[in-house]
Amino acid sequence: GQQLNQSPQSMFIQEGEDVSMNCTSSSIFNTWLWYKQDPGEGPVLLIALYKAGELTSNGRLTAQFGITRKDSFLNISASIPSDVGIYFCAGLNHGGSQGNLIFGKGTKLSVKP
Amino acid sequence: NAGVTQTPKFRVLKTGQSMTLLCAQDMNHEYMYWYRQDPGMGLRLIHYSVGEGTTAKGEVPDGYNVSRLKKQNFLLGLESAAPSQTSVYFCASSYRAGGINGYTFGSGTRLTVV
């Protein structure tokens, strides 16, 4: 089946630093989504991308839909302690037989004050 | 709005026992999903439903059954729990097919099978 490769698996950064993570796939996706999961909670949608090349921001977060439609990137600027959590990418191929979101395995972010 | 509510939040089962996890959504969503989350494995789809009265298998359906008798509820059953089913279970729902606008997740059920 389709798989998403999300990297890095984990990150330990200092408060104030910028963060970059990415997701790649061997298949083309028509939609890319980025979720954040706080400890003990369910994932919450951060950003949705629907068009190749699209760049979308949500506060300090910026995500891009790769031109090839096989990758997506998430950047967090000036990290703060509340950015701690697991970030998931998810892709959707509208023409797929299931039409369900495919999730990456997540990037665990730790921020040192 | 409550969104997606999962009950119970925590449960400990003995091997061989059965239980049902309840997911309820108040957003009139057609589509509902059950995932399990294990360390390093991300979110894996167990079963899903594209409408009241329908269910379908996901990536890891073995050992689980589901029912969607009412549009707002999606039940996940374990008939004979095994230690391998120790996990955090998440329910999600979406309005559109394939969740184009994203899924709304519940806060999870942490299940331990001893």
Side-chain angles (χ1 to χ4, degrees), chain A residues 29-76:
Chain A
F29 286 107
N30 294 320
T31 298
W32 283 96
L33 306 172
W34 284 92
Y35 285 84
K36 184 196 177 193
Q37 183 181 25
D38 289 325
E41 297 294 328
V44 173
L45 183 65
L46 296 174
I47 293 177
L49 302 158
Y50 302 110
K51 187 177 177 181
E54 181 180 356
L55 189 70
T56 298
S57 294
N58 179 3
R60 293 177 295 105
L61 278 63
T62 301
Q64 184 163 21
F65 192 141
I67 292 291
T68 65
R69 293 199 283 158
K70 294 183 178 180
D71 55 10
S72 181
F73 307 87
L74 177 70
N75 296 314
I76 305 173

Side-chain angles (χ1 to χ4, degrees), chain A residues 35 37 42 50 88 92 99 101 103, chain B residues 37 90 98 100-103 106:
Chain A
Y35 285 84
Q37 183 181 25
Y50 302 110
F88 291 100
L92 176 67
L101 285 178
F103 284 88
Chain B
Q37 183 179 27
F90 287 100
I100 292 174
N101 293 325
Y103 296 177

Side-chain angles (χ1 to χ4, degrees), chain B residues 76-88:
Chain B
L76 178 70
L78 286 74
E79 290 186 347
S80 180
S84 61
Q85 294 177 305
T86 293
S87 186
V88 181

Side-chain angles (χ1 to χ4, degrees), chain A:
Chain A
Q2 294 176 314
Q3 286 188 331
L4 292 183
N5 297 311
Q6 188 171 351
S7 64
Q9 286 187 326
S10 61
M11 303 181 74
F12 296 85
I13 62 169
Q14 200 74 35
E15 182 177 359
E17 290 182 353
D18 296 342
V19 173
S20 292
M21 59 190 78
N22 69 82
C23 234
T24 60
S25 170
S26 57
S27 305
I28 290 174
F29 286 107
N30 294 320
T31 298
W32 283 96
L33 306 172
W34 284 92
Y35 285 84
K36 184 196 177 193
Q37 183 181 25
D38 289 325
E41 297 294 328
V44 173
L45 183 65
L46 296 174
I47 293 177
L49 302 158
Y50 302 110
K51 187 177 177 181
E54 181 180 356
L55 189 70
T56 298
S57 294
N58 179 3
R60 293 177 295 105
L61 278 63
T62 301
Q64 184 163 21
F65 192 141
I67 292 291
T68 65
R69 293 199 283 158
K70 294 183 178 180
D71 55 10
S72 181
F73 307 87
L74 177 70
N75 296 314
I76 305 173
S77 62
S79 59
I80 59 178
S82 62
D83 290 334
V84 164
I86 302 176
Y87 292 79
F88 291 100
C89 62
L92 176 67
N93 182 342
H94 301 175
S97 58
Q98 277 191 326
N100 295 321
L101 285 178
I102 308 297
F103 284 88
K105 294 186 177 180
T107 294
K108 187 174 183 179
L109 180 63
S110 301
V111 180
K112 290 185 288 187

